[in-house]
């Protein structure tokens, strides 16, 4: 694949310029927007491979932009937020974002997270997607995942999942009863591993359990194997 195109959205022009300069030195093609409406226009016209999105913007918030992007495509989104409250991070991930970084952040860390997501895209394009990335039907005790339609139902009722939640569930459904370490899930589903992603994984797992109706104290579907990782049932 040629040079990746990244859309960076932030209402702080200084931050936009810093990110653009740094990422261009890293070899990326970078387009920028300082507000949500312009971001959506550029998303439609430029078809970026990844979006770096500030959540707290005037007029149209980053949450609204994220929701529209994730509803219309599988384009990965990395959120930028000045807020540290868990509820804000959870809401962004619930809308479909792949990861978040809390301001202030280092440009080196941002670049590392971008590389991780893009490596995952390359693996999928090369036909090396994680297990469960085929075109069949995966089922387990009322859960049905249709890989052709990219849909999930629970006892016949549609369950809306974010792209990352879908990939995690597909991986677990492909191997019921098998324990996957956090490292394995991060590498298989998100494309790479580093410490910063672990916070996001916890939130993705929590969101996925809620959507499946799992009791956090005694989950039926996604179970935590302490000191080892996660497994489906068993």
């Amino acid at each position: 694949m040629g040079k990746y195109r990244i859309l960076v959205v932030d209402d702080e022009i200084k931050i936009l310029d810093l990110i653009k300069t740094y990422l261009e030195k890293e070899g990326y093609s970078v387009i920028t927007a300082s507000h949500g409406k312009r971001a959506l226009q550029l998303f439609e016209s430029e078809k970026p491979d990844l979006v770096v999105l500030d959540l707290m913007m005037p007029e149209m918030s980053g949450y609204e932009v994220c929701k529209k992007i994730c509803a219309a495509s599988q384009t990965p989104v990395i959120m930028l937020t000045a807020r540290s409250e868990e509820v804000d991070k959870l809401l962004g991930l619930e809308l479909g974002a792949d990861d978040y970084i809390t301001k202030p952040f280092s440009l080196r860390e941002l670049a590392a997270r971008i590389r991780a997501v893009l490596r995952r895209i390359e693996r999928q394009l090369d036909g090396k997607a994680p297990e469960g990335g085929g075109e069949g039907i995966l089922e387990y005790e009322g859960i049905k995942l249709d890989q052709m339609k990219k849909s999930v139902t629970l006892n016949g009722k549609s369950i809306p999942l974010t792209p990352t939640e879908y990939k995690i569930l597909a991986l677990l459904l492909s191997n019921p009863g098998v324990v996957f370490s956090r490292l394995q899930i991060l590498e298989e589903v998100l494309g790479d591993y580093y410490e910063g992603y672990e916070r996001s994984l916890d939130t993705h797992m929590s969101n996925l359990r809620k959507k499946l109706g799992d009791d956090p104290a005694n989950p039926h579907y996604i179970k935590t194997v302490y000191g080892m990782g996660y497994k489906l049932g068993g």
Side-chain angles (χ1 to χ4, degrees), residues 10 12 15 53-56 63 79-85 88-89 101-105:
D10 198 305
E12 296 184 55
I15 290 180
L53 175 65
D54 182 36
L55 290 184
M56 305 308 296
Y63 293 108
M79 304 179 299
L80 304 178
T81 175
R83 295 187 176 185
S84 59
E85 291 89 343
D88 298 303
K89 300 168 185 174
I101 299 179
T102 302
K103 295 179 178 178
F105 57 88

Side-chain angles (χ1 to χ4, degrees), residues 142-156:
I143 301 173
K144 181 178 180 179
L145 186 148
D146 187 323
Q147 295 172 301
M148 180 69 75
K149 297 179 180 178
K150 302 296 182 186
S151 65
V152 176
T153 58
L154 178 62
N155 297 323

Side-chain angles (χ1 to χ4, degrees), residues 7-233:
L7 171 60
V8 182
V9 188
D10 198 305
D11 63 328
E12 296 184 55
I13 302 302
K14 288 184 177 179
I15 290 180
L16 271 185
D17 290 342
L18 283 171
I19 294 176
K20 178 179 172 66
T21 299
Y22 190 89
L23 293 182
E24 286 180 340
K25 289 181 179 178
E26 292 284 303
Y28 299 111
S29 171
V30 182
I31 49 179
T32 62
S34 59
H35 59 84
K37 289 183 179 179
R38 180 58 176 161
L40 291 176
Q41 291 172 350
L42 287 172
F43 181 78
E44 288 295 326
S45 63
E46 300 296 327
K47 307 297 182 187
D49 299 295
L50 182 144
V51 179
V52 177
L53 175 65
D54 182 36
L55 290 184
M56 305 308 296
M57 295 187 295
E59 297 182 25
M60 180 182 288
S61 73
Y63 293 108
E64 294 178 77
V65 176
C66 180
K67 185 175 181 179
K68 290 179 182 295
I69 288 175
C70 293
S73 74
Q74 294 289 313
T75 304
V77 176
I78 296 177
M79 304 179 299
L80 304 178
T81 175
R83 295 187 176 185
S84 59
E85 291 89 343
E86 187 65 27
V87 65
D88 298 303
K89 300 168 185 174
L90 192 150
L91 177 58
L93 295 173
E94 182 78 20
L95 291 174
D98 287 74
D99 196 12
Y100 66 86
I101 299 179
T102 302
K103 295 179 178 178
F105 57 88
S106 75
L107 293 171
R108 183 177 180 181
E109 179 185 9
L110 175 61
R113 297 193 183 205
I114 289 172
R115 283 195 300 272
V117 173
L118 294 178
R119 282 194 196 113
R120 183 242 297 166
I121 292 175
E122 287 180 342
R123 290 171 65 195
Q124 292 173 340
L125 291 176
D126 289 340
K128 299 177 182 177
E131 287 187 77
E135 302 299 335
I137 302 291
L138 299 174
E139 296 184 84
Y140 180 84
E141 294 190 11
I143 301 173
K144 181 178 180 179
L145 186 148
D146 187 323
Q147 295 172 301
M148 180 69 75
K149 297 179 180 178
K150 302 296 182 186
S151 65
V152 176
T153 58
L154 178 62
N155 297 323
K157 182 179 179 181
S158 178
I159 303 294
L161 300 183
T162 68
T164 300
E165 291 164 3
Y166 175 90
K167 293 182 185 77
I168 292 172
L169 183 59
L171 177 66
L172 296 177
L173 281 171
S174 297
N175 302 272
V178 175
V179 178
F180 287 92
S181 69
R182 296 166 65 84
L183 173 59
Q184 286 176 310
I185 296 172
L186 288 164
E187 288 182 335
E188 290 294 325
V189 175
L190 299 176
D192 206 346
Y193 169 80
Y194 49 86
E195 186 177 355
Y197 252 158
E198 293 209 24
R199 301 186 304 273
S200 298
L201 178 60
D202 291 338
T203 307
H204 287 306
M205 283 297 190
S206 175
N207 291 342
L208 185 53
R209 279 172 164 160
K210 288 177 183 177
K211 291 180 180 181
L212 294 175
D214 260 352
D215 177 0
N218 186 30
H220 175 69
Y221 291 114
I222 300 177
K223 300 187 177 183
T224 301
V225 182
Y226 292 98
M228 297 180 68
Y230 297 95
K231 67 174 182 176
L232 182 72

